[in-house]
Amino acid sequence: LGAALGAGAGLAAPQLGSAVVEEMPMEMIQRPHSSQQVEGKRRRKFPDFELTKSGLQVKDVDPGRGSLFPSHGDTVVLSWEGYTVNYKGLPFETRKLQERAKVEAEPLRFKVGDGSVIPGIDEAVRSMREGGIRQVIVPVELGYDAEKSLGPRPSTFSGQRALDFVLDNTGGLMDKTLLFNMKLKHIYPASA
């Protein structure tokens, strides 16, 4: 990622004060030990982000090159960073965390539509071009599954701990909205 994503590109977790509360649906949460769902945290619409029908918020920093968009079955390679949006904006995957832990992470590689990554990333990458840089705010229902089996996963222990702290919180006390900075490095068409 380096200068392409992160402080050099002016990308980071949006601050809580930069959000504008608009008429957006409330986050529904499951009460512990009950089948009842109740309203949870009020959702936030961040300025300069486009809201999709699914509730994903996207902001293109660089549109990329070419006219090819990934489609179902194509393999994509991307570099990424991740932040907790409303829990102090803590990073759970950045180059700095990797450098501190002396970890060299591989880029994320997956087939579009194969269900191996969180739905928010799968949706966001489908409208990106090679070389494109995008910020994506992922609501809880487009994020990690309960078993946390979907990618991407942090490459460091501290990043894993920060993400798990937010995801494992029950009772609706913590907003599980996440921010991903993504750079689409390459698209390998399925027909090739």
Side-chain angles (χ1 to χ4, degrees):
L1 284 271
L5 287 178
L11 301 179
Q15 298 302 311
L16 191 58
S18 68
V20 176
V21 177
E22 290 186 6
E23 290 299 315
M24 293 182 66
M26 296 288 282
E27 180 177 313
M28 297 304 289
I29 58 169
Q30 188 79 36
R31 281 219 165 130
H33 313 294
S34 170
S35 62
Q36 182 184 14
Q37 286 198 340
V38 295
E39 289 186 345
K41 305 266 183 205
R42 178 163 297 283
R43 295 184 186 269
R44 291 178 163 77
K45 167 72 172 78
F46 289 85
D48 302 327
F49 280 78
E50 178 185 325
L51 182 65
T52 67
K53 289 179 184 177
S54 68
L56 194 68
Q57 295 183 54
V58 298
K59 176 181 174 182
D60 285 321
V61 176
D62 181 344
R65 61 190 182 283
S67 59
L68 181 65
F69 293 100
S71 58
H72 189 85
D74 290 349
T75 299
V76 294
V77 179
L78 55 94
S79 51
W80 67 281
E81 293 180 342
Y83 298 86
T84 61
V85 172
N86 292 319
Y87 181 66
K88 303 178 186 178
L90 289 178
F92 58 88
E93 181 73 354
T94 64
R95 187 177 226 27
K96 277 188 181 179
L97 287 175
Q98 293 168 356
E99 287 171 357
R100 256 189 266 149
K102 298 181 179 7
V103 171
E104 192 164 322
E106 292 290 319
L108 176 63
R109 178 185 297 260
F110 68 96
K111 283 190 179 188
V112 176
D114 72 354
S116 64
V117 296
I118 62 172
I121 294 226
D122 191 78
E123 178 184 336
V125 80
R126 290 175 188 243
S127 57
M128 291 179 72
R129 293 182 179 98
E130 264 187 15
I133 299 174
R134 174 174 279 181
Q135 287 189 295
V136 182
I137 297 176
V138 180
V140 65
E141 61 274 1
L142 297 176
Y144 290 96
D145 56 325
E147 297 79 31
K148 297 178 270 188
S149 61
L150 299 176
R153 297 298 292 168
S155 59
T156 66
F157 175 74
S158 62
Q160 189 70 50
R161 202 168 133 199
L163 179 61
D164 286 347
F165 179 78
V166 171
L167 296 178
D168 292 342
N169 185 281
T170 59
L173 300 175
M174 189 170 299
D175 188 342
K176 298 177 184 190
T177 303
L178 302 172
L179 168 80
F180 290 91
N181 294 331
M182 308 180 343
K183 179 175 183 178
L184 182 55
K185 294 180 161 228
H186 200 73
I187 302 167
Y188 296 99
S191 58

